[in-house]
Amino acid sequence: MDQLLIAGGRPLNGEVRISGAKNAALPIVCASLLTAEPLKLTNVPGLRDVTTLVKLLKGMGVESQRSDNGMILVGTDIHTPVATYELVKTMRASILVLGPLLARCGSAKVSLPGGCAIGERPVNLHIKGLEAMGAQIRIEHGYIVAEAPQLKGARIFMDTVTVTGTENLMMAAVLADGVTILENSAREPEVVDLAECLIKMGAKVKGHGTDVIHIEGVKTLHGAEHRVMPDRIESGTFLVAAAATHGDVTLVDSCPEALQAVLEKLREANAEIEEVGNRIRVRMRGPNHGVSLRTAPYPAFPTDMQAQFMAMNTVAEGTTVITETIFENRFMHVQELRRLGANIEIEGNTSIIRGVPSLEGAGVMATDLRASASLVIAGLIAQGETCVDRIYHLDRGYERIEEKLGLLGADIRRVAGQEGA
Ligand code: UD1
């Protein structure tokens, strides 16, 4: 298993190009299941999650070609509408095939994802929504077995805001008979990006970006070309890494409008932020003030940025409080940050972080994707060497992170870990 070795204490400086968004690319790749014609995508990030999904779709009958950051997907004949446990267990977002498979093929068999490191993460709202559209669904041997010769439009209220749930139901509804109204929908920019791609494919979607999405089903969808939006979480991660190391970094090809909650918190932490077009420059004005925050669905502060801000807060002036309201077990990084000398106390879904003068390098273990990013940031701040183990989590969601950080002046390298480590 690969590890990252980081010699900390160097400020990040320079420009970094932001990749396409993982969380937009995954549903958009699944949208290729909805048409027999080619879906041509650009700005697709080179990530393990994308490769896993393409492999899953290949088994169903979708052919793909990859070139640099482009991808062409063609699902002429979806002969096997099945997602097996072997692939689904490595990536929960595989559940996103359920809606499109059911809409296109009239049946689907998709493994239940099971729990994951950050919480229980049920898919009941995906299932309930599809049932409201007329699907017959049963759970058999760990699989969701769904049938619906023709999905029907429905009014669906989701009692929790769910990102992939909204995306799944939107993809099901575009080929349903009649009008679907999704209430309490997720407003995340990635939901909007998917909706825009679907519209290019001939879907009739309105209200995306608000909490009521209106979809009028059509008989068929056609091919389209779409550029995946920039990754706002990768953007936020580099911004925090720059601020935490008291560097001066400019993001290129980013999406400032989708990052307002994060930029506001960075300003509160004493960073100066300049937004020009799709570029964002960050540098600290003086001491790191740290920030208290509470995660919530978009447009509020994203849960996927919580761990990175916590790393920055460990060396801030004074005490800060972070409250996680989306996932019940998303403080796995706390124990690892403590190994680097951080002073953090957990009380239920709240972490109290008392700033210390500095962190000290140590061996730490990545537990999930964004927790891994926080450990890398902590390693960049810490004095001495930090070894981040189990970085396969990081490779799921960050494209060439050590190369990008290296270009900004970080002393970071990937090494092959020992067997069984
Ligand atoms: C997506 C993102 C993930 C991000 C999360 C929250 C992708 C591929 N992943 O995950 O990076 O951290 O949004 O912004 O886009 N819930 C239910 N029942 C359901 C579905 C969800 O109770 O059927 C609950 C979850 O347990 C959680 C909350 O709703 O507490 C939000 O989860 P959800 O938005 O669905 O997260 P994901 O879509 O899995």
Side-chain angles (χ1 to χ4, degrees):
M1 259 181 249
D2 287 359
Q3 302 170 331
L4 283 180
L5 291 183
I6 305 166
R10 298 163 67 126
L12 300 184
N13 284 301
E15 284 191 0
V16 58
R17 199 192 87 80
I18 296 306
S19 301
K22 169 178 92 71
N23 287 354
L26 296 176
I28 289 171
V29 165
C30 291
S32 68
L33 288 165
L34 291 164
T35 175
E37 294 180 16
L39 181 61
K40 295 183 185 164
L41 304 176
T42 52
N43 208 29
V44 181
L47 298 173
R48 203 157 58 88
D49 270 8
V50 174
T51 318
T52 306
L53 186 61
V54 167
K55 194 167 155 194
L56 184 70
L57 262 55
K58 187 175 170 54
M60 298 172 184
V62 178
E63 294 301 328
S64 65
Q65 273 175 40
R66 189 83 158 102
S67 58
D68 297 330
N69 62 9
M71 185 180 278
I72 303 177
L73 297 140
V74 193
T76 313
D77 173 29
I78 306 302
H79 47 70
T80 314
V82 177
T84 63
Y85 181 54
E86 284 59 44
L87 285 176
V88 176
K89 74 178 177 197
T90 66
M91 189 184 59
R92 294 185 47 85
S94 314
I95 190 72
L96 283 165
V97 300
L98 181 61
L101 280 179
L102 202 51
R104 171 96 182 268
C105 308
S107 69
K109 187 175 168 190
V110 177
S111 170
L112 275 168
C116 84
I118 63 174
E120 193 187 343
R121 302 184 81 174
V123 290
N124 58 312
L125 298 172
H126 302 232
I127 293 176
K128 219 172 122 191
L130 292 170
E131 281 176 340
M133 295 170 75
Q136 298 286 326
I137 299 185
R138 55 189 197 276
I139 307 296
E140 253 176 28
H141 304 291
Y143 280 77
I144 303 165
V145 182
E147 273 159 49
Q150 175 60 61
L151 289 170
K152 291 188 174 51
R155 192 175 195 106
I156 299 167
F157 177 80
M158 289 164 281
D159 57 19
T160 305
V161 176
T162 159
V163 177
T164 50
T166 303
E167 292 165 345
N168 231 341
L169 297 180
M170 192 159 71
M171 287 192 279
V174 289
L175 289 180
D177 183 14
V179 172
T180 298
I181 294 167
L182 300 178
E183 288 183 283
N184 201 26
S185 289
R187 291 180 282 168
E188 266 66 2
E190 294 78 12
V191 174
V192 174
D193 205 30
L194 169 66
E196 281 169 2
C197 178
L198 292 170
I199 290 168
K200 289 176 191 161
M201 294 166 72
K204 293 190 174 164
V205 182
K206 283 191 283 190
H208 42 293
T210 77
D211 58 3
V212 182
I213 303 181
H214 183 282
I215 304 142
E216 189 184 333
V218 295
K219 289 257 179 295
T220 54
L221 293 182
H222 50 72
E225 289 185 25
H226 184 77
R227 181 178 169 82
V228 175
M229 69 170 285
D231 197 311
R232 65 191 168 104
I233 308 300
E234 187 199 22
S235 298
T237 303
F238 277 102
L239 290 171
V240 173
T245 60
H246 291 264
D248 180 351
V249 167
T250 300
L251 310 187
V252 179
D253 286 349
S254 183
C255 46
E257 66 292 347
L259 272 158
Q260 288 306 314
V262 168
L263 297 181
E264 206 36 55
K265 284 294 166 188
L266 281 165
R267 287 192 184 100
E268 210 180 304
N270 205 19
E272 188 177 332
I273 306 280
E274 278 173 40
E275 303 166 47
V276 182
N278 55 15
R279 296 165 73 94
I280 309 174
R281 180 175 180 186
V282 61
R283 57 206 145 136
M284 285 304 253
R285 292 175 197 275
N288 169 359
H289 293 165
V291 274
S292 292
L293 56 91
R294 183 185 180 85
T295 65
Y298 190 86
F301 189 90
T303 172
D304 285 354
M305 282 302 304
Q306 175 256 104
Q308 300 88 318
F309 269 79
M310 193 183 298
M312 181 170 79
N313 285 355
T314 60
V315 290
E317 289 177 336
T319 299
T320 52
V321 175
I322 291 186
T323 304
E324 170 61 51
T325 74
I326 309 283
F327 295 114
E328 64 275 18
N329 191 22
R330 209 168 197 184
F331 286 143
M332 306 273 283
H333 42 288
V334 168
Q335 287 201 32
E336 303 300 308
L337 291 172
R338 284 185 188 138
R339 290 185 45 74
L340 301 171
N343 181 346
I344 308 173
E345 220 179 290
I346 301 181
E347 276 179 23
N349 68 344
T350 297
S351 281
I352 301 143
I353 305 122
R354 294 187 175 83
V356 293
S358 64
L359 299 180
E360 278 175 26
V364 288
M365 193 94 87
T367 47
D368 69 70
L369 175 54
R370 306 305 172 185
S372 318
S374 90
L375 298 179
V376 170
I377 292 171
L380 294 170
I381 308 171
Q383 302 298 322
E385 191 169 85
T386 295
C387 173
V388 185
D389 205 350
R390 302 205 172 160
I391 56 161
Y392 55 84
H393 291 291
L394 209 56
D395 294 333
R396 285 189 36 223
Y398 290 91
E399 192 175 36
R400 299 179 286 105
I401 190 166
E402 72 276 22
E403 201 182 309
K404 289 188 179 188
L405 286 170
L407 287 170
L408 294 174
D411 184 342
I412 181 167
R413 65 199 161 90
R414 181 182 289 254
V415 293
Q418 290 154 11
E419 266 319 291

